[in-house]
Structures are given as structure tokens and as C-alpha cells.
Amino acid sequence: MAATHRRTVLGDAGDDGRVGAGGANEQHRTLADSATAVLHEAILTGRLPAGTPLRLNEMADLLGMSMSPVRESIRRLAAIGLVEVVQHKGAWVMPLTVEDAVDTHEARIAMETALIERAATRFTAADARRAEAALDEHVAASERGDATAARRAHTEFHFTIYRAAGSRWLLRGLEPVWENSERYRFATVTPTGQNEERVREHRAILDACVAGDVTAAVAAVQVHIQHAADRVIGKMNIDAAEVPAAREPVRARTGR
């Protein structure tokens, strides 16, 4: 991939490379934070597709920094499961597979069920206002085509609800699973009708929490995650089936 194209893919780090007067350690943290944010966003949105090698010297050059903070950023991304690092071989974006998609969504169902069971009994008016605002922003950002803002608002909606559960460890356990799930969500093209369905599902989750209805909240979140899994796995299966179909005419012509 040409360097100019890779810069477009990664986006502009903007002012993140500027460092204050906190010394070398603070400078390293600042640059590592910047590199992590840029690479994280590019991986989640698919601008760095599954299997893309993350070569230290190339990434450092494109991000305009030394290899040390880039190395740290890759370690952080590996810690949350978005990057695979093999000693003496390098690092690359983790692959997307049907098996992993199933495992990811099953883990989400288990953890988010536990969280929402607790959250629905503790949900406050302030929680409801924050979740409502995040849901409104998610819808608005989706309608204006701002995928980054929509993703952040979507995450804020769910985690506003889950924070009401009051479980620090369940939230920490969910975060890497959630991040991996977002990669699959971005890899799935959602028809307009399904966008509307997702809004209804989000509304059902919020309404159940506001009402303190644990049974309805659990059912709503499980349906929501299962539908997300069905969309992702269905799209992956279609894509896999289309590969040999696309190649078949080439083989037929070659045989003549």
C-alpha cells in the first residue's frame, strides 16, 4: 500500500503528536495514546482490514513519531484482542472468522445479560437521560453518515446502561469483547430497514430499564445481540459463498 494511501487510511493524527512540558515519560505516553487512538479507530472501522501487517517502521513513519510509542500502542491493541503479535514475526490485525464472531457474540450475551439484570434494578432518572441523549446522537450521526460519531454514541448508550449495574469487573471484562464485536459490526452492511429495527431494539432495552423490568430488559438485550450476530454471520457466509461462484466462470473459460 502506498504511503500516501496509508496516511489517508489511518487519518490525520492532528495535534496529538504535540507534547507539553511533562518530560520524556509524559511525551512517550502522549504519543502512545495518539498512536493507539489512530490505529484503534482504523482497525474498528475496517480501514486497516483483518490481516493487515503492522510494521513498526512503516507505522511510525506514517504517524510521524518514533517506533517506541508505536510499539507500545500495538501492545495495547494486542491486550484487547484487536492485534496479534508473534515474537520475531511481527504484528497484524486479527482475522475475522465465523467461529470468532460466534464466540464474541456469545460472550457478549453472557456478560451483558449479567450487567443488565443488575442495571435494570438500579436505573435512575439521570441514567435514563444520559442513555436517551446517547441514543438520539447515535440515530442523528447515523442519518448524517458520521460513522465514527455513531459508533461512539452507540457505545455510550450501552455502557451508560451497564455502568448502572455498579460492577467494575464486569465492565472491564466486557470492554475487549465489545471492541471486537464492533469490528464485526462495521464489516456488515446494514440495510435501511435493519437500521430502523436496531433503533427499536435499543428503545426496547432503554424502556425496560426505565420501567425496572428485569425480565424485559434481559430479553431485549439478548434479542438485540442475537440479531447483530445473525447479521454478521449471515454476511460472512454470503461473502464466503460468493468467492467460488465468482471464480467458476474463469475456470470454465480456462477449460475450453
Side-chain angles (χ1 to χ4, degrees), residues 231-253:
R231 285 191 295 270
V232 165
I233 294 164
K235 176 66 162 55
M236 293 178 77
N237 286 333
I238 289 171
D239 289 347
E242 286 177 347
V243 171
R247 291 175 179 168
E248 186 59 35
V250 175
R251 289 198 298 267
R253 286 195 298 271

PDB file of all heavy atoms in Angstrom, residues 231-253:
ATOM      1  N   ARG A 231     -26.791 -11.014  11.643  1.00  0.00           N
ATOM      2  CA  ARG A 231     -26.424 -10.169  10.507  1.00  0.00           C
ATOM      3  C   ARG A 231     -24.961 -10.389  10.111  1.00  0.00           C
ATOM      4  O   ARG A 231     -24.634 -10.517   8.931  1.00  0.00           O
ATOM      5  CB  ARG A 231     -26.652  -8.684  10.847  1.00  0.00           C
ATOM      6  CG  ARG A 231     -28.106  -8.253  10.844  1.00  0.00           C
ATOM      7  CD  ARG A 231     -28.228  -6.737  10.924  1.00  0.00           C
ATOM      8  NE  ARG A 231     -27.729  -6.198  12.177  1.00  0.00           N
ATOM      9  CZ  ARG A 231     -28.470  -6.016  13.271  1.00  0.00           C
ATOM     10  NH1 ARG A 231     -29.755  -6.353  13.253  1.00  0.00           N
ATOM     11  NH2 ARG A 231     -27.958  -5.497  14.357  1.00  0.00           N
ATOM     12  N   VAL A 232     -24.102 -10.409  11.120  1.00  0.00           N
ATOM     13  CA  VAL A 232     -22.670 -10.556  10.855  1.00  0.00           C
ATOM     14  C   VAL A 232     -22.371 -11.909  10.216  1.00  0.00           C
ATOM     15  O   VAL A 232     -21.707 -11.996   9.172  1.00  0.00           O
ATOM     16  CB  VAL A 232     -21.872 -10.403  12.172  1.00  0.00           C
ATOM     17  CG1 VAL A 232     -20.440 -10.904  11.999  1.00  0.00           C
ATOM     18  CG2 VAL A 232     -21.876  -8.955  12.633  1.00  0.00           C
ATOM     19  N   ILE A 233     -22.866 -12.978  10.833  1.00  0.00           N
ATOM     20  CA  ILE A 233     -22.551 -14.322  10.352  1.00  0.00           C
ATOM     21  C   ILE A 233     -23.210 -14.576   8.993  1.00  0.00           C
ATOM     22  O   ILE A 233     -22.609 -15.209   8.110  1.00  0.00           O
ATOM     23  CB  ILE A 233     -22.986 -15.365  11.397  1.00  0.00           C
ATOM     24  CG1 ILE A 233     -22.128 -15.186  12.663  1.00  0.00           C
ATOM     25  CG2 ILE A 233     -22.850 -16.786  10.847  1.00  0.00           C
ATOM     26  CD1 ILE A 233     -22.674 -15.866  13.885  1.00  0.00           C
ATOM     27  N   GLY A 234     -24.421 -14.064   8.822  1.00  0.00           N
ATOM     28  CA  GLY A 234     -25.084 -14.197   7.533  1.00  0.00           C
ATOM     29  C   GLY A 234     -24.289 -13.535   6.423  1.00  0.00           C
ATOM     30  O   GLY A 234     -24.110 -14.103   5.340  1.00  0.00           O
ATOM     31  N   LYS A 235     -23.782 -12.327   6.682  1.00  0.00           N
ATOM     32  CA  LYS A 235     -22.990 -11.606   5.680  1.00  0.00           C
ATOM     33  C   LYS A 235     -21.681 -12.341   5.390  1.00  0.00           C
ATOM     34  O   LYS A 235     -21.252 -12.453   4.236  1.00  0.00           O
ATOM     35  CB  LYS A 235     -22.697 -10.197   6.197  1.00  0.00           C
ATOM     36  CG  LYS A 235     -21.794  -9.349   5.289  1.00  0.00           C
ATOM     37  CD  LYS A 235     -22.460  -9.025   3.969  1.00  0.00           C
ATOM     38  CE  LYS A 235     -21.801  -7.854   3.257  1.00  0.00           C
ATOM     39  NZ  LYS A 235     -20.355  -8.028   3.041  1.00  0.00           N
ATOM     40  N   MET A 236     -21.034 -12.866   6.429  1.00  0.00           N
ATOM     41  CA  MET A 236     -19.779 -13.585   6.230  1.00  0.00           C
ATOM     42  C   MET A 236     -19.999 -14.858   5.417  1.00  0.00           C
ATOM     43  O   MET A 236     -19.191 -15.207   4.548  1.00  0.00           O
ATOM     44  CB  MET A 236     -19.143 -13.905   7.585  1.00  0.00           C
ATOM     45  CG  MET A 236     -18.676 -12.672   8.351  1.00  0.00           C
ATOM     46  SD  MET A 236     -17.968 -13.057   9.972  1.00  0.00           S
ATOM     47  CE  MET A 236     -16.348 -13.662   9.483  1.00  0.00           C
ATOM     48  N   ASN A 237     -21.093 -15.555   5.677  1.00  0.00           N
ATOM     49  CA  ASN A 237     -21.394 -16.769   4.918  1.00  0.00           C
ATOM     50  C   ASN A 237     -21.701 -16.457   3.457  1.00  0.00           C
ATOM     51  O   ASN A 237     -21.294 -17.188   2.548  1.00  0.00           O
ATOM     52  CB  ASN A 237     -22.562 -17.514   5.559  1.00  0.00           C
ATOM     53  CG  ASN A 237     -22.156 -18.229   6.844  1.00  0.00           C
ATOM     54  OD1 ASN A 237     -20.999 -18.610   7.017  1.00  0.00           O
ATOM     55  ND2 ASN A 237     -23.102 -18.416   7.743  1.00  0.00           N
ATOM     56  N   ILE A 238     -22.414 -15.365   3.217  1.00  0.00           N
ATOM     57  CA  ILE A 238     -22.710 -14.949   1.839  1.00  0.00           C
ATOM     58  C   ILE A 238     -21.422 -14.611   1.106  1.00  0.00           C
ATOM     59  O   ILE A 238     -21.197 -15.026  -0.038  1.00  0.00           O
ATOM     60  CB  ILE A 238     -23.679 -13.748   1.830  1.00  0.00           C
ATOM     61  CG1 ILE A 238     -25.073 -14.198   2.261  1.00  0.00           C
ATOM     62  CG2 ILE A 238     -23.732 -13.105   0.444  1.00  0.00           C
ATOM     63  CD1 ILE A 238     -26.040 -13.052   2.488  1.00  0.00           C
ATOM     64  N   ASP A 239     -20.558 -13.851   1.766  1.00  0.00           N
ATOM     65  CA  ASP A 239     -19.284 -13.471   1.145  1.00  0.00           C
ATOM     66  C   ASP A 239     -18.445 -14.702   0.808  1.00  0.00           C
ATOM     67  O   ASP A 239     -17.821 -14.781  -0.251  1.00  0.00           O
ATOM     68  CB  ASP A 239     -18.495 -12.547   2.074  1.00  0.00           C
ATOM     69  CG  ASP A 239     -19.121 -11.163   2.184  1.00  0.00           C
ATOM     70  OD1 ASP A 239     -20.000 -10.848   1.369  1.00  0.00           O
ATOM     71  OD2 ASP A 239     -18.721 -10.418   3.096  1.00  0.00           O
ATOM     72  N   ALA A 240     -18.425 -15.669   1.736  1.00  0.00           N
ATOM     73  CA  ALA A 240     -17.638 -16.887   1.506  1.00  0.00           C
ATOM     74  C   ALA A 240     -18.209 -17.688   0.342  1.00  0.00           C
ATOM     75  O   ALA A 240     -17.457 -18.265  -0.454  1.00  0.00           O
ATOM     76  CB  ALA A 240     -17.614 -17.738   2.772  1.00  0.00           C
ATOM     77  N   ALA A 241     -19.533 -17.715   0.221  1.00  0.00           N
ATOM     78  CA  ALA A 241     -20.165 -18.474  -0.864  1.00  0.00           C
ATOM     79  C   ALA A 241     -19.953 -17.815  -2.214  1.00  0.00           C
ATOM     80  O   ALA A 241     -19.913 -18.493  -3.245  1.00  0.00           O
ATOM     81  CB  ALA A 241     -21.662 -18.621  -0.586  1.00  0.00           C
ATOM     82  N   GLU A 242     -19.803 -16.485  -2.215  1.00  0.00           N
ATOM     83  CA  GLU A 242     -19.656 -15.774  -3.480  1.00  0.00           C
ATOM     84  C   GLU A 242     -18.260 -15.908  -4.080  1.00  0.00           C
ATOM     85  O   GLU A 242     -18.073 -15.732  -5.276  1.00  0.00           O
ATOM     86  CB  GLU A 242     -19.973 -14.287  -3.285  1.00  0.00           C
ATOM     87  CG  GLU A 242     -21.464 -14.018  -3.117  1.00  0.00           C
ATOM     88  CD  GLU A 242     -21.753 -12.555  -2.856  1.00  0.00           C
ATOM     89  OE1 GLU A 242     -20.783 -11.815  -2.569  1.00  0.00           O
ATOM     90  OE2 GLU A 242     -22.926 -12.161  -2.929  1.00  0.00           O
ATOM     91  N   VAL A 243     -17.265 -16.251  -3.282  1.00  0.00           N
ATOM     92  CA  VAL A 243     -15.897 -16.353  -3.792  1.00  0.00           C
ATOM     93  C   VAL A 243     -15.759 -17.451  -4.843  1.00  0.00           C
ATOM     94  O   VAL A 243     -15.332 -17.198  -5.956  1.00  0.00           O
ATOM     95  CB  VAL A 243     -14.892 -16.560  -2.629  1.00  0.00           C
ATOM     96  CG1 VAL A 243     -13.516 -16.890  -3.170  1.00  0.00           C
ATOM     97  CG2 VAL A 243     -14.837 -15.316  -1.760  1.00  0.00           C
ATOM     98  N   PRO A 244     -16.164 -18.711  -4.544  1.00  0.00           N
ATOM     99  CA  PRO A 244     -16.047 -19.729  -5.594  1.00  0.00           C
ATOM    100  C   PRO A 244     -16.977 -19.470  -6.768  1.00  0.00           C
ATOM    101  O   PRO A 244     -16.655 -19.778  -7.910  1.00  0.00           O
ATOM    102  CB  PRO A 244     -16.408 -21.033  -4.874  1.00  0.00           C
ATOM    103  CG  PRO A 244     -17.162 -20.614  -3.664  1.00  0.00           C
ATOM    104  CD  PRO A 244     -16.584 -19.279  -3.280  1.00  0.00           C
ATOM    105  N   ALA A 245     -18.149 -18.854  -6.490  1.00  0.00           N
ATOM    106  CA  ALA A 245     -19.085 -18.552  -7.573  1.00  0.00           C
ATOM    107  C   ALA A 245     -18.470 -17.561  -8.546  1.00  0.00           C
ATOM    108  O   ALA A 245     -18.640 -17.647  -9.760  1.00  0.00           O
ATOM    109  CB  ALA A 245     -20.384 -17.994  -6.988  1.00  0.00           C
ATOM    110  N   ALA A 246     -17.727 -16.594  -8.004  1.00  0.00           N
ATOM    111  CA  ALA A 246     -17.103 -15.591  -8.861  1.00  0.00           C
ATOM    112  C   ALA A 246     -15.970 -16.195  -9.679  1.00  0.00           C
ATOM    113  O   ALA A 246     -15.671 -15.756 -10.779  1.00  0.00           O
ATOM    114  CB  ALA A 246     -16.575 -14.431  -8.017  1.00  0.00           C
ATOM    115  N   ARG A 247     -15.335 -17.238  -9.148  1.00  0.00           N
ATOM    116  CA  ARG A 247     -14.198 -17.841  -9.840  1.00  0.00           C
ATOM    117  C   ARG A 247     -14.631 -18.865 -10.890  1.00  0.00           C
ATOM    118  O   ARG A 247     -13.877 -19.191 -11.789  1.00  0.00           O
ATOM    119  CB  ARG A 247     -13.270 -18.521  -8.821  1.00  0.00           C
ATOM    120  CG  ARG A 247     -12.535 -17.536  -7.921  1.00  0.00           C
ATOM    121  CD  ARG A 247     -11.748 -18.274  -6.866  1.00  0.00           C
ATOM    122  NE  ARG A 247     -11.010 -17.354  -6.015  1.00  0.00           N
ATOM    123  CZ  ARG A 247     -10.429 -17.716  -4.884  1.00  0.00           C
ATOM    124  NH1 ARG A 247     -10.494 -18.956  -4.462  1.00  0.00           N
ATOM    125  NH2 ARG A 247      -9.768 -16.832  -4.155  1.00  0.00           N
ATOM    126  N   GLU A 248     -15.828 -19.428 -10.753  1.00  0.00           N
ATOM    127  CA  GLU A 248     -16.257 -20.503 -11.622  1.00  0.00           C
ATOM    128  C   GLU A 248     -16.195 -20.169 -13.111  1.00  0.00           C
ATOM    129  O   GLU A 248     -15.682 -20.968 -13.900  1.00  0.00           O
ATOM    130  CB  GLU A 248     -17.679 -20.938 -11.237  1.00  0.00           C
ATOM    131  CG  GLU A 248     -18.168 -22.166 -11.991  1.00  0.00           C
ATOM    132  CD  GLU A 248     -17.266 -23.370 -11.755  1.00  0.00           C
ATOM    133  OE1 GLU A 248     -16.733 -23.512 -10.648  1.00  0.00           O
ATOM    134  OE2 GLU A 248     -17.083 -24.152 -12.696  1.00  0.00           O
ATOM    135  N   PRO A 249     -16.691 -18.993 -13.559  1.00  0.00           N
ATOM    136  CA  PRO A 249     -16.603 -18.678 -14.987  1.00  0.00           C
ATOM    137  C   PRO A 249     -15.167 -18.652 -15.494  1.00  0.00           C
ATOM    138  O   PRO A 249     -14.909 -19.017 -16.628  1.00  0.00           O
ATOM    139  CB  PRO A 249     -17.248 -17.287 -15.070  1.00  0.00           C
ATOM    140  CG  PRO A 249     -18.129 -17.215 -13.876  1.00  0.00           C
ATOM    141  CD  PRO A 249     -17.396 -17.972 -12.811  1.00  0.00           C
ATOM    142  N   VAL A 250     -14.232 -18.226 -14.651  1.00  0.00           N
ATOM    143  CA  VAL A 250     -12.828 -18.187 -15.064  1.00  0.00           C
ATOM    144  C   VAL A 250     -12.330 -19.595 -15.330  1.00  0.00           C
ATOM    145  O   VAL A 250     -11.683 -19.871 -16.336  1.00  0.00           O
ATOM    146  CB  VAL A 250     -11.972 -17.505 -13.981  1.00  0.00           C
ATOM    147  CG1 VAL A 250     -10.506 -17.577 -14.355  1.00  0.00           C
ATOM    148  CG2 VAL A 250     -12.427 -16.067 -13.798  1.00  0.00           C
ATOM    149  N   ARG A 251     -12.699 -20.541 -14.449  1.00  0.00           N
ATOM    150  CA  ARG A 251     -12.276 -21.926 -14.635  1.00  0.00           C
ATOM    151  C   ARG A 251     -12.908 -22.514 -15.902  1.00  0.00           C
ATOM    152  O   ARG A 251     -12.279 -23.268 -16.629  1.00  0.00           O
ATOM    153  CB  ARG A 251     -12.664 -22.755 -13.414  1.00  0.00           C
ATOM    154  CG  ARG A 251     -11.841 -22.441 -12.174  1.00  0.00           C
ATOM    155  CD  ARG A 251     -11.950 -23.555 -11.154  1.00  0.00           C
ATOM    156  NE  ARG A 251     -13.331 -23.725 -10.702  1.00  0.00           N
ATOM    157  CZ  ARG A 251     -13.825 -23.116  -9.633  1.00  0.00           C
ATOM    158  NH1 ARG A 251     -13.088 -22.285  -8.945  1.00  0.00           N
ATOM    159  NH2 ARG A 251     -15.079 -23.321  -9.288  1.00  0.00           N
ATOM    160  N   ALA A 252     -14.174 -22.156 -16.159  1.00  0.00           N
ATOM    161  CA  ALA A 252     -14.853 -22.694 -17.318  1.00  0.00           C
ATOM    162  C   ALA A 252     -14.184 -22.216 -18.614  1.00  0.00           C
ATOM    163  O   ALA A 252     -13.986 -22.984 -19.537  1.00  0.00           O
ATOM    164  CB  ALA A 252     -16.334 -22.268 -17.308  1.00  0.00           C
ATOM    165  N   ARG A 253     -13.840 -20.926 -18.632  1.00  0.00           N
ATOM    166  CA  ARG A 253     -13.189 -20.397 -19.829  1.00  0.00           C
ATOM    167  C   ARG A 253     -11.821 -21.019 -20.014  1.00  0.00           C
ATOM    168  O   ARG A 253     -11.374 -21.310 -21.103  1.00  0.00           O
ATOM    169  CB  ARG A 253     -13.069 -18.879 -19.733  1.00  0.00           C
ATOM    170  CG  ARG A 253     -14.393 -18.141 -19.936  1.00  0.00           C
ATOM    171  CD  ARG A 253     -14.132 -16.666 -20.181  1.00  0.00           C
ATOM    172  NE  ARG A 253     -13.472 -16.019 -19.057  1.00  0.00           N
ATOM    173  CZ  ARG A 253     -14.117 -15.460 -18.054  1.00  0.00           C
ATOM    174  NH1 ARG A 253     -15.443 -15.488 -17.995  1.00  0.00           N
ATOM    175  NH2 ARG A 253     -13.445 -14.885 -17.083  1.00  0.00           N
TER     176      ARG A 253
END
